[in-house]
Amino acid sequence: MTDATGAAPVLTDSEGRPLPLQNPHDSGPARPASASFWARRSTRLTGGALLPLLLLAVWQYVTTTGLVPPYQLPSPGSVWRAAIDLAQRGDLQTHLAISVQRVLIGFAIGALVALVVAAFVGLSRAGDVLLAPTLAAVRAVPSLAWVPLLILWMKIGEESKITLVAIGAFFPIYTTVAAALRHVDPHLVEAGRAFGLRGVALFRSVQLPAVIPSVMSGLRLGLAQAWLFLVAAELIAASMGLGFLLTDSQNNGRVDRILLAIVLLAVIGKLTDSVVALVEKQLLRRFA
């Protein structure tokens, strides 16, 4: 509003001092400086590296000072030399490639089946009644319990290992997505039906975008579980892979290689999780 002269009035407080005018385009209070600092990419990268570097420094200290004997905890240098030795002979690359291949194939199969079953259970009362109790019981079976049965059915080959990885990836994805579909806002569904959406069109346009965050969270959990089940498979029935490297190193007393396999599993698991996180960011940006 303006006064009789056409100028905007100046707001004052009780003592006659002018008050700052609020910008009409201002969307709200500015973010605190601390929040913007922790949101920076450089801060996240640096902060995320602090704890691993600290653990590495402690590891180096306790091994060089003799606080822990080398036969129990080799130094980081010993682990690095073991990695170089395996890489020069070509074994390290083979172990890595085979394990990654098993995880990717098993994860893809388990994720696809989990999404289909989750859609049936989460969107259908019949599916919820018929499948949910049985799947909840099967989910409680430990990973190692599947190994003898899979070996009996599929022998010691890639099929049994990939199947075990698929089982591991299935349940986190199924559980997360099915629960998310059950709790989609009914007002959104009714709005979609009011616009004539039914069946697949309703699922694609309304329900799927609403559960994208849950789908991506389930995929990340399923990928982590796939790595766990891979190690379980390779510990018992494998002649190559990181799980086999763990077993073989234990039998030969090579603690440096055991630590190397553990570090590699942690690093590769984090890298694959980061790839899924990037996909999640792009999907959320598109469907938000």
Side-chain angles (χ1 to χ4, degrees):
M1 294 179 62
T2 59
D3 56 14
T5 61
V10 177
L11 302 178
T12 59
D13 58 13
S14 59
E15 298 180 359
R17 292 176 298 189
L19 294 174
L21 296 177
Q22 183 179 4
N23 187 348
H25 301 288
D26 190 2
S27 58
R31 295 180 62 187
S34 59
S36 61
F37 171 77
W38 291 109
R40 295 175 185 172
R41 181 183 297 272
S42 59
T43 303
R44 295 177 61 86
L45 292 176
T46 305
L50 284 179
L51 184 57
L53 292 176
L54 178 61
L55 293 175
L56 184 62
V58 173
W59 180 10
Q60 178 69 23
Y61 174 78
V62 299
T63 53
T64 55
T65 57
L67 293 177
V68 181
Y71 68 87
Q72 290 184 339
L73 183 65
S75 66
S78 299
V79 176
W80 175 254
R81 288 190 292 272
I84 297 298
D85 177 60
L86 287 173
Q88 289 176 345
R89 292 189 294 174
D91 294 338
L92 184 62
Q93 298 89 322
T94 303
H95 289 309
L96 287 173
I98 290 178
S99 291
V100 171
Q101 174 181 290
R102 288 168 178 164
V103 167
L104 292 181
I105 296 176
F107 172 72
I109 296 173
L112 180 61
V113 176
L115 291 174
V116 173
V117 176
F120 180 60
V121 172
L123 298 175
S124 168
R125 291 185 180 274
D128 188 19
V129 171
L130 295 175
L131 295 182
T134 302
L135 291 176
V138 175
R139 184 181 58 187
V141 178
S143 60
L144 294 178
W146 292 104
V147 175
L149 188 61
L150 292 177
I151 292 177
L152 178 64
W153 287 349
M154 303 178 182
K155 310 304 178 184
I156 302 179
E158 290 301 302
E159 293 82 2
S160 60
K161 301 175 186 61
I162 291 175
T163 301
L164 186 60
V165 173
I167 292 173
F170 172 87
F171 286 102
I173 301 171
Y174 155 74
T175 304
T176 305
V177 177
L181 286 172
R182 289 193 196 102
H183 296 90
V184 173
D185 188 352
H187 296 92
L188 291 176
V189 178
E190 290 300 326
R193 288 173 178 167
F195 283 96
L197 298 178
R198 296 289 187 278
V200 177
L202 179 65
F203 176 75
R204 184 181 63 250
S205 302
V206 176
Q207 293 167 313
L208 181 59
V211 299
I212 284 294
S214 297
V215 171
M216 299 311 300
S217 297
L219 290 176
R220 296 178 71 173
L221 291 173
L223 183 59
Q225 190 85 338
W227 281 104
L228 296 177
F229 274 59
L230 169 80
V231 174
E234 292 181 342
L235 280 174
I236 296 179
S239 58
M240 296 297 295
L242 294 176
F244 169 78
L245 181 61
L246 284 169
T247 304
D248 184 65
S249 301
Q250 179 188 13
N251 295 334
N252 295 323
R254 294 297 303 268
V255 187
D256 52 350
R257 292 186 179 180
I258 294 176
L259 290 173
L260 173 63
I262 293 173
V263 171
L264 288 175
L265 285 169
V267 171
I268 299 175
K270 173 58 181 174
L271 290 176
T272 52
D273 180 76
S274 298
V275 172
V276 179
L278 290 176
V279 176
E280 177 183 11
K281 186 179 296 185
Q282 296 298 323
L283 289 177
L284 292 179
R285 186 178 302 171
R286 176 179 178 182
F287 289 101

